[in-house]
Amino acid sequence: MDQGHQEEEKSFWEKLLSIDRRIIFLFITVAVAVPLFFRLSLHIAVTPVAEGVYQAVQSLPAGSKVLVSFDYDPGSMPELQPMAEAFFRQAFRNDLKVIIMGLWPQGPLQANMALEEVFKDKDIAAKNLKYGVDYVNLGYTAGNEVVIDRMGHSFEESYPKDAYGTPIGEIPLMRGVRNYDNIDLIFNLSAGYPGTQEWVQYGVDVFHVKLAAGNTAVQAPSMYPYVQTGQLSGVLGGMKGGAEYETLLGIPGRAVRYMFSQAVSHAVICLFIIIGNLAYFSLRRRRKSQMEVQG
Amino acid sequence: MRREVPLVLTAIVGLTMIISHFIPPLNMLKDLFEDWFFIIAAFAIYLGILNLIRINADKVYKKRSDWPFGVVVILGFLLITIPGLFFSGGRSFSDLGTPFYYLYDHVYYPLSATMFALLAFFVASASYRAFRARNVEATMLLVAAFILMLGRVPIGDMITAWLPEGYRMGNAADWIMDFPQTAGQRAIMIGIALGVVSSALRVILGLERAMGGE
């Protein structure tokens, strides 16, 4: 190989290493957006941690009371909203009574959005669910983990009224609900603080509540130790967790649909990593051989 | 006094919260302190709002650098607060169809999701530049990340479909999550817990100077 060609090849690797990030952004845009136009039925492998969530809900007899804490905002909606919708679907199909609350101000609104979507389901609409009897939205209360702790003694002290200002003593669903002793399962959807970690520390460890969770993909790995110790019945991690949950329910929804987009974007990132490493090693080998030649 | 009173209050409240866990009659005091906390937490929200308005109004009034952003903050605040407070049915403000819900669904949600979605682009760019197999540790990290990125999506199992079931990339990703990852997380959690205990003790004993605003 002549010197000129070598120089040209070297500059090619160097150019590749210092590629304009806008080109990477363009590839990612295409990788994320284009698959959204295709409807491929990909095989979603279900993990035991996701199955734990499904079984925790499925094992409850009709009429059981579940508390759902919406601890996220719209930023995490693509990951957590499909989980919320799937959870409502499973709960309402199994005739469970759902109590909604939020430790994040935007949480109860996210719950309303999920309910709006779930009520479009013909099977659920046919049940003619009534607010205050089949489900209730307690709204948001400031206080983070102190709210969780206080609810262990009395729900009414943390939430004297629901989101619409009705005293909880006047809500049929809330009659007989004093504290966690009257709740069969807590499902927490969390994108950070306060979230699942606080529910484990203040709800599970102190009051021994049964807890399952849905987390963002970034947060989910830190919940695995809690699943192993049995403090969490299961955890849904990111969009994949949502897709697993939808697969278990047999109702493929948005999470399953978006998995193709996520799969392609992951593959493109991996491809970039491979190219980056090839360029790095090629340059390193060349520099090493140049140094050897120079003595 | 400005330093001593907060320190004494912190010590009393901190110690009560710990001791009440072991002496149930002290729960009355704990509940009282929690009530105080609820009130302070609720007021902190108003304080935050006032602070936001004050800082941005000051920036606009004195025409400091980037003052137009201050105008955007104040207008954005008013745009969502006024319809929420006065034109969305009072306590039913979060119901579907209210002006507040419309703004939440059509303005706040897309903006918030867009900010979060930008991460995908920066992660891709950073991965391309930083994920290098420079040494053994970096290579291990790279291989684990590679397996997880492909194994957590269906494509991982598709490209390793020729392997026997149980040995595919999805299974490898699950193994990494269940064992090395969980072990690492547990070590980190124990470390953090010890750190939290030590800082909490420093605060309760008045050794943490930052608490006094110093």
Side-chain angles (χ1 to χ4, degrees):
Chain A
M1 198 183 286
D2 60 77
Q3 189 69 24
H5 190 198
Q6 205 170 7
E7 282 297 321
E8 197 181 305
E9 200 177 351
K10 184 184 166 186
S11 66
F12 166 74
W13 289 118
E14 274 181 346
K15 272 182 191 168
L16 207 60
L17 268 183
S18 57
I19 191 172
D20 191 334
R21 63 179 181 170
R22 283 172 294 186
I23 294 171
I24 300 173
F25 292 172
L26 187 69
F27 272 94
I28 294 297
T29 307
V30 173
V32 171
V34 173
L36 293 175
F37 295 102
F38 296 93
R39 292 213 170 193
L40 286 189
S41 59
L42 296 170
H43 169 71
I44 308 288
V46 176
T47 54
V49 286
E51 191 156 4
V53 175
Y54 174 78
Q55 291 300 344
V57 182
Q58 201 65 17
S59 63
L60 297 173
S64 299
K65 285 172 178 159
V66 284
L67 176 72
V68 201
S69 186
F70 279 75
D71 304 334
Y72 65 96
D73 62 7
S76 311
M77 226 172 131
E79 288 185 286
L80 299 180
Q81 201 71 2
M83 295 179 197
E85 288 165 14
F87 175 82
F88 280 142
R89 282 202 169 92
Q90 190 184 11
F92 290 139
R93 281 180 176 217
N94 291 359
D95 296 319
L96 306 180
K97 306 289 179 189
V98 180
I99 302 165
I100 299 159
M101 60 167 280
L103 295 176
W104 286 36
Q106 302 90 338
L109 271 141
Q110 296 301 134
N112 283 349
M113 289 173 115
L115 285 172
E116 182 196 8
E117 197 60 36
V118 168
F119 288 156
K120 289 177 189 164
D121 186 326
K122 280 178 189 165
D123 292 341
I124 291 168
K127 286 180 182 282
N128 199 19
L129 300 170
K130 285 189 174 61
Y131 181 84
V133 178
D134 300 294
Y135 67 98
V136 66
N137 191 340
L138 299 181
Y140 160 74
T141 284
N144 304 336
E145 57 267 51
V146 180
V147 177
I148 303 172
D149 185 60
R150 187 45 94 67
M151 286 171 77
H153 301 290
S154 164
F155 272 35
E156 201 165 7
E157 286 175 17
S158 288
Y159 288 96
K161 293 174 181 174
D162 74 347
Y164 302 102
T166 311
I168 67 165
E170 294 173 15
I171 299 169
L173 174 54
M174 294 306 290
R175 279 183 204 134
V177 178
R178 185 173 151 63
N179 53 34
Y180 296 134
D181 291 342
N182 313 111
I183 297 292
D184 300 291
L185 175 73
I186 297 175
F187 183 59
N188 174 234
L189 287 159
S190 155
Y193 171 83
T196 306
Q197 193 151 6
E198 286 66 39
W199 275 104
V200 170
Q201 289 170 348
Y202 294 89
V204 178
D205 292 353
V206 181
F207 299 102
H208 311 292
V209 297
K210 192 177 179 188
L211 178 69
N215 291 160
T216 53
V218 173
Q219 196 189 358
S222 58
M223 298 305 144
Y224 273 61
Y226 295 133
V227 179
Q228 247 183 19
T229 55
Q231 288 160 293
L232 265 178
S233 300
V235 67
L236 305 170
M239 201 176 285
K240 169 73 166 31
E244 289 175 53
Y245 195 21
E246 287 176 355
T247 305
L248 282 163
L249 277 175
I251 314 167
R254 276 192 291 177
V256 168
R257 212 162 61 236
Y258 295 163
M259 277 314 286
F260 182 43
S261 168
Q262 196 170 41
V264 175
S265 51
H266 278 206
V268 168
I269 292 175
C270 286
L271 205 65
F272 271 117
I273 293 172
I274 292 171
I275 294 169
N277 274 279
L278 281 176
Y280 168 73
F281 279 111
S282 175
L283 270 178
R284 199 167 78 163
R285 190 166 50 84
R286 206 168 296 275
R287 277 180 194 146
K288 206 181 255 180
S289 60
Q290 276 175 352
M291 280 170 74
E292 278 171 6
V293 170
Q294 284 166 1
Chain B
M1 284 295 276
R2 280 183 65 182
R3 185 175 138 71
E4 282 78 12
V5 172
L7 282 180
V8 171
L9 272 175
T10 307
I12 293 170
V13 173
L15 286 171
T16 308
M17 297 303 268
I18 295 170
I19 297 168
S20 65
H21 190 70
F22 305 100
I23 307 170
L26 279 179
N27 271 327
M28 274 174 63
L29 262 181
K30 179 179 165 255
D31 288 350
L32 176 74
F33 293 148
E34 283 183 352
D35 283 343
W36 291 1
F37 179 79
F38 281 136
I39 295 164
I40 293 168
F43 269 96
I45 293 173
Y46 294 109
L47 203 65
I49 293 167
L50 289 176
N51 208 28
L52 177 87
I53 299 295
R54 190 185 65 83
I55 288 171
N56 283 287
D58 193 53
K59 189 194 262 185
V60 174
Y61 182 70
K62 290 179 180 162
K63 294 254 169 36
R64 291 214 181 106
S65 64
D66 297 332
W67 66 269
F69 294 118
V71 177
V72 174
V73 171
I74 294 168
L75 285 180
F77 173 78
L78 295 175
L79 181 73
I80 203 138
T81 309
I82 293 172
L85 280 176
F86 304 110
F87 304 106
S88 298
R91 296 291 296 242
S92 310
F93 72 94
S94 61
D95 274 2
L96 310 181
T98 63
F100 179 84
Y101 186 86
Y102 182 85
L103 287 168
Y104 184 85
D105 197 21
H106 292 86
V107 180
Y108 180 64
Y109 160 49
L111 285 174
S112 183
T114 303
M115 289 301 291
F116 203 69
L118 287 177
L119 270 179
F121 298 95
F122 293 118
V123 165
S125 173
S127 304
Y128 178 66
R129 293 181 206 291
F131 258 142
R132 298 274 184 271
R134 289 175 210 276
N135 49 42
V136 178
E137 291 88 348
T139 309
M140 283 171 71
L141 189 71
L142 182 69
V143 171
F146 210 82
I147 293 172
L148 275 176
M149 267 195 281
L150 292 178
R152 295 286 291 168
V153 288
I155 213 164
D157 280 342
M158 279 162 71
I159 57 177
T160 51
W162 52 277
L163 285 169
E165 210 164 318
Y167 294 92
R168 293 177 186 158
M169 205 171 274
N171 303 108
D174 290 345
W175 183 83
I176 290 172
M177 289 296 282
D178 287 342
F179 297 101
Q181 189 279 136
T182 303
Q185 284 288 349
R186 190 165 284 136
I188 293 168
M189 284 161 83
I190 292 169
I192 292 172
L194 290 172
V196 168
V197 169
S198 129
S199 336
L201 279 175
R202 283 180 63 82
V203 170
I204 289 169
L205 298 173
L207 299 171
E208 189 60 54
R209 292 187 170 269
M211 285 295 291
E214 287 171 37

